[in-house]
Amino acid sequence: MIIAIACDHGGFELKQRIKEYLRTRDDIKIADLGTDSEESVDYPIYGKACGEAVAGGKADRGIVICGTGIGISIAANKVKGVRCGLCTSVEMAELTRKHNNANILALGGRITAPGLALDITKTWLDTEFEGGRHRRRTDMLDEML
């Protein structure tokens, strides 16, 4: 599985930690779309880049990180075919995959403790979409843009 990962300056430190975890998994290849430091940048650029990578088939799923996860998730969701979910708990990570088939995970680098963020990421990566009644709803979402 190819995971695109992108962040702004507020998510840079957490992105580095998540990349360390992803490198331990034999089933994952990383496509790092930036940013590459804590120097101030604009989150919409990176949310859009990750969204386009996932929607365009260059990555199977994506992870986006900014200070709160809010702005970059909004940016990613502007790309047709993206279902980006901001998760602040392991339960949200599980349900956003099972029920919403989220193809991008958003995290807040300044508000989510690194250990929790890693637990969220692992759960999100390892949880499959349930389909069934949820498929109708995700199909509706995909038709909106």
Side-chain angles (χ1 to χ4, degrees), residues 21 89-90 93 105 113-125:
Y21 163 69
S89 72
V90 171
L105 169 65
L116 176 58
L118 292 173
D119 289 343
I120 289 168
T121 300
K122 181 181 184 322
T123 298
W124 184 80
L125 289 169

Side-chain angles (χ1 to χ4, degrees), residues 32-143:
D32 187 340
L33 305 177
T35 194
D36 299 320
S37 74
E38 292 182 341
E39 184 177 329
S40 184
V41 294
D42 299 318
Y43 64 80
I45 294 168
Y46 298 93
K48 180 181 178 188
C50 189
E52 288 176 343
V54 172
K58 293 180 181 170
D60 299 296
R61 291 196 215 164
I63 299 171
V64 293
I65 312 161
C66 69
T68 63
I70 297 168
I72 204 163
S73 68
I74 293 169
N77 276 315
K78 294 286 185 178
V79 177
K80 184 172 177 57
V82 168
R83 290 175 307 282
C84 178
L86 172 59
C87 296
T88 57
S89 72
V90 171
E91 182 179 33
M92 288 176 74
E94 181 179 1
L95 292 174
T96 198
R97 285 290 306 137
K98 283 184 175 181
H99 294 183
N100 308 116
N101 199 17
N103 52 13
I104 298 182
L105 169 65
L107 296 166
R110 293 183 176 148
I111 63 167
T112 308
L116 176 58
L118 292 173
D119 289 343
I120 289 168
T121 300
K122 181 181 184 322
T123 298
W124 184 80
L125 289 169
D126 294 339
T127 302
E128 295 297 324
F129 179 50
E130 286 183 347
R133 72 183 190 278
H134 304 295
R135 169 105 32 225
R136 181 179 81 249
R137 296 167 185 147
T138 59
D139 288 346
M140 291 169 75
L141 291 172
D142 289 344
E143 293 300 318

